[in-house]
Amino acid sequence: MAGMAETSRPRGGDHGTDRTDRTRARRKAQQGRGTAVPAADPADARLEHARDGKLKLNRPKRGLIDETEAQQIAEDRARLQQQGIGGPLDGRMLSNPAATDGGRPQVRPQAEGWKQQTTDDGRPLLQFKQPRVAQPKTHLADLTLAERQAKVAELGFPAFRAKQLSNHYFNHFTSDPDRMTDLPKGAREKLVTELMPPLLTEVRRLTTDNGDTIKFLWRLFDGALVESVLMRYPGRVTLCVSSQAGCGMNCPFCATGQNGLTRNMSTAEIVEQVVRANEVIAEGALGGLRKDGGHNAERVTNIVFMGMGEPLANYKRVIASVRRMVDPAPEGLGMSARHITVSTVGLVPAINRLAEEGIPVTFALSLHAPDDELRDELIPVNSRWKADEAIDAAYNYFVKTGRRVSIEYALIKDMNDHAWRADLLGQKLNARGRGWVHVNPIPLNPTPGSIWTSSEPDVTDEFINRLEAAGIPTTLRDTRGKEIDGACGQLAAEGDEDEGAEGDVTPSDRRPGASSASIDLRA
């Protein structure tokens, strides 16, 4: 989700006496309401007592879920369904007026200001494959270093020129032949023309008042528009990147998906967003610098695939771009895989495939509802892979990699923020084990008059409290760049009518209505 803050309000993990007492009181109160809150079971195969007597999580064995674990998951799911949780019984909870909190209504998802594309039988249209369209010319960022060397040799130059070109691109963030003074003057133009074709043209740049957040609107070679958001935090810089032009997941709240999928972005187009962001940082254009003498990152340190598009629907190119990001310079950008987050709305086969890649990226599942009746409407891909299947795949990612999984949950007023849903979410996550997951509730950017608006503060607190009482580490995420439509759910590639407009634009210069009236929780 674009423009998100990575840390804001940690609400879990405090094992002090006061927190323990509050948790016990909350658990007792919930049990009084008839909600069973599972306690940490010392017999759990993944838990053991530390020296201080507290429970700690054992690191899982690396490998696929074995037959025993698969059987345990099946038994847990069956047990939950017997209690009315999960599977076909979810609908009973949603349809039962008594299940709402304090008489609050159940708002149903619906597209606002646009018509959702549907199939002949009236179901939301899902596009997993891109249309047959032209792709950009091959760029050196599409290739491994060995492949670049072969290409350079094919052009009649010594293979080592490939490493020089790569050094200029990945270390100096430039494709300008005039700056490549270590290359023969007569060779520069040809090498750049053949290996560095233009990828992104900057159309617009919106900057927050304090300069710590910049939203870029890029035009691709074929005229398609995408956006990315650059954010400075103390000691780090995060870039939210797009992976597709448009999106084929067709969620009713989604600004990006209104017109469907235009095409997948190439590996180099994804990587180019990072290189161009690094160039902007090197020019000193990203403000929000620390004044306390602390460390300021001089380049992008963190990547989140939460911009436009569904990353796992463009699997091969996204994985290739991740490899290019983590490859040591000058073959790549030399970033840490652990500082790269890949998110999805729940493409289960691709999640399992990602777990096999051997790249320790952070994985995030955009769940937004734990019950299938609501999620079927909120996230159309849920008709293909249900919530429990997506959660199982997320758990498998943890088992395979040892990397804790994030569950993204945008809180929408009267739609998915009822306290019983927090209980249901906690129960489903705990059924797979303890300590493997972290939940990020995200306050939705409010839009006057829209059904897609943020939960009330007391409702948000109650939702978080329920998750904490279930022992689920929970962090309420903040957003960045609201005044430039660069925050969570506000990427829509608006403003394409201003052909050739470049440079900084203040919020007052934005296209009227280019706000989060249509929001994109997935992106």
Side-chain angles (χ1 to χ4, degrees):
M1 204 165 300
M4 70 175 190
E6 294 178 46
T7 56
S8 168
R9 177 186 169 193
R11 297 292 303 264
D14 180 359
H15 298 287
T17 303
D18 293 340
R19 172 57 59 87
T20 302
D21 291 342
R22 289 198 302 271
T23 301
R24 288 172 178 168
R26 203 177 289 128
R27 181 176 289 120
K28 183 176 180 180
Q30 286 186 319
Q31 290 172 341
R33 289 196 297 267
T35 303
V37 180
D41 183 3
D44 190 316
R46 298 195 176 282
L47 293 172
E48 66 179 20
H49 283 284
R51 292 181 179 179
D52 57 4
K54 300 174 184 175
L55 291 173
K56 70 176 184 178
L57 181 71
N58 290 325
R59 186 174 181 82
K61 295 180 179 179
R62 295 183 180 272
L64 292 172
I65 295 179
D66 59 25
E67 293 182 6
T68 302
E69 288 178 307
Q71 179 64 28
Q72 184 62 53
I73 290 176
E75 292 174 358
D76 286 336
R77 182 181 294 173
R79 174 172 49 79
L80 289 175
Q81 289 180 354
Q82 290 175 358
Q83 299 172 7
I85 301 168
L89 299 182
D90 281 342
R92 300 181 191 177
M93 299 184 70
L94 183 58
S95 304
N96 182 4
T100 59
D101 302 342
R104 286 200 297 121
Q106 174 64 65
V107 174
R108 310 303 308 185
Q110 63 184 43
E112 291 186 344
W114 63 288
K115 186 175 181 180
Q116 194 177 28
Q117 297 183 59
T118 58
T119 60
D120 293 338
D121 59 0
R123 296 181 180 181
L125 177 66
L126 293 170
Q127 295 173 272
F128 294 101
K129 295 183 178 180
Q130 70 171 1
R132 290 177 177 258
V133 294
Q135 291 292 308
K137 293 181 180 180
T138 300
H139 188 281
L140 70 81
D142 291 308
L143 309 172
T144 64
L145 183 57
E147 291 169 336
R148 293 170 216 162
Q149 291 170 337
K151 179 67 174 178
V152 166
E154 182 184 315
L155 294 172
F157 299 101
F160 70 83
R161 298 296 183 198
K163 191 170 184 179
Q164 290 176 303
L165 280 173
S166 301
N167 186 56
H168 284 294
Y169 185 70
F170 288 112
N171 281 337
H172 301 296
F173 323 125
T174 183
S175 300
D176 182 358
D178 291 337
R179 295 175 58 184
M180 303 179 185
T181 56
D182 57 341
L183 293 171
K185 192 169 185 179
R188 297 176 199 170
E189 287 289 347
K190 185 174 182 180
L191 286 170
V192 168
T193 299
E194 293 294 333
L195 285 169
M196 295 181 173
L199 295 173
L200 306 180
T201 300
E202 185 175 336
V203 176
R204 176 175 293 126
R205 182 186 302 185
L206 298 175
T207 306
T208 53
D209 290 341
N210 66 356
D212 67 358
T213 302
I214 300 174
K215 183 176 78 165
F216 300 95
L217 175 64
W218 308 106
R219 179 175 288 107
L220 308 182
F221 85 102
D222 56 358
L225 296 171
V226 298
E227 293 180 322
S228 51
V229 182
L230 182 64
M231 299 158 282
R232 183 182 289 282
Y233 298 92
R236 71 186 189 280
V237 174
T238 296
L239 181 69
C240 177
V241 300
S242 294
S243 56
Q244 294 181 312
C247 183
M249 297 299 99
N250 202 9
C251 300
F253 51 76
C254 180
T256 304
Q258 290 184 16
N259 297 317
L261 176 63
T262 299
R263 70 170 173 88
N264 290 328
M265 295 179 68
S266 71
T267 297
E269 286 173 327
I270 297 171
V271 174
E272 175 84 348
Q273 296 172 78
V274 189
V275 173
R276 297 289 290 273
N278 282 336
E279 183 181 18
V280 168
I281 297 169
E283 293 170 350
L286 183 63
L289 296 171
R290 298 179 66 168
K291 299 179 180 179
D292 59 359
H295 171 67
N296 281 306
E298 298 178 351
R299 58 189 294 173
V300 173
T301 59
N302 294 59
I303 299 290
V304 289
F305 279 87
M306 297 182 180
M308 299 173 67
E310 162 55 52
L312 296 189
N314 186 17
Y315 187 90
K316 288 178 64 176
R317 296 173 183 87
V318 165
I319 294 303
S321 70
V322 169
R323 292 190 184 280
R324 208 65 7 94
M325 292 170 189
V326 303
D327 283 340
E331 182 167 3
L333 287 163
M335 300 181 67
S336 168
R338 296 175 182 273
H339 293 165
I340 298 174
T341 299
V342 177
S343 70
T344 179
V345 290
L347 279 63
V348 168
I351 299 171
N352 291 329
R353 186 178 176 187
L354 180 65
E356 297 284 354
E357 289 288 349
I359 312 175
V361 297
T362 298
F363 173 71
L365 173 63
S366 294
L367 192 66
H368 304 317
D371 54 298
D372 285 328
E373 183 173 353
L374 176 59
R375 198 168 192 268
D376 281 347
E377 299 181 41
L378 195 61
I379 311 288
V381 80
N382 202 68
S383 64
R384 185 74 64 91
W385 299 286
K386 295 301 183 182
D388 279 309
E389 294 177 273
I391 296 172
D392 280 348
Y395 176 70
N396 178 48
Y397 186 85
F398 165 77
V399 171
K400 178 66 177 179
T401 67
R403 300 280 293 153
R404 188 172 68 166
V405 168
S406 292
I407 299 292
E408 308 296 312
Y409 198 105
L411 289 170
I412 311 169
K413 182 177 181 180
D414 295 333
M415 188 180 296
N416 68 348
D417 61 353
H418 302 90
W420 68 262
R421 281 197 169 93
D423 294 337
L424 175 60
L425 177 59
Q427 290 163 0
K428 285 193 171 188
L429 298 180
N430 282 333
R432 276 84 179 170
R434 295 300 184 102
W436 68 276
V437 69
H438 181 273
V439 175
N440 291 309
I442 305 168
L444 191 65
N445 292 300
T447 304
S450 172
I451 65 169
W452 307 101
T453 192
S454 59
S455 301
E456 299 295 336
D458 60 328
V459 173
T460 298
D461 286 342
E462 176 67 9
F463 197 92
I464 293 172
N465 289 341
R466 295 288 184 107
L467 288 171
E468 287 182 347
I472 305 295
T474 305
T475 302
L476 181 68
R477 289 201 171 180
D478 197 0
T479 55
R480 281 284 193 93
K482 292 181 181 180
E483 71 267 36
I484 59 171
D485 294 340
C488 298
Q490 294 182 311
L491 295 192
E494 297 282 1
D496 56 308
E497 74 284 1
D498 293 335
E499 293 288 338
E502 297 187 11
D504 292 337
V505 180
T506 61
S508 60
D509 294 323
R510 290 177 302 170
R511 174 182 175 181
S515 66
S516 56
S518 294
I519 58 169
D520 184 354
L521 303 183
R522 226 268 357 119

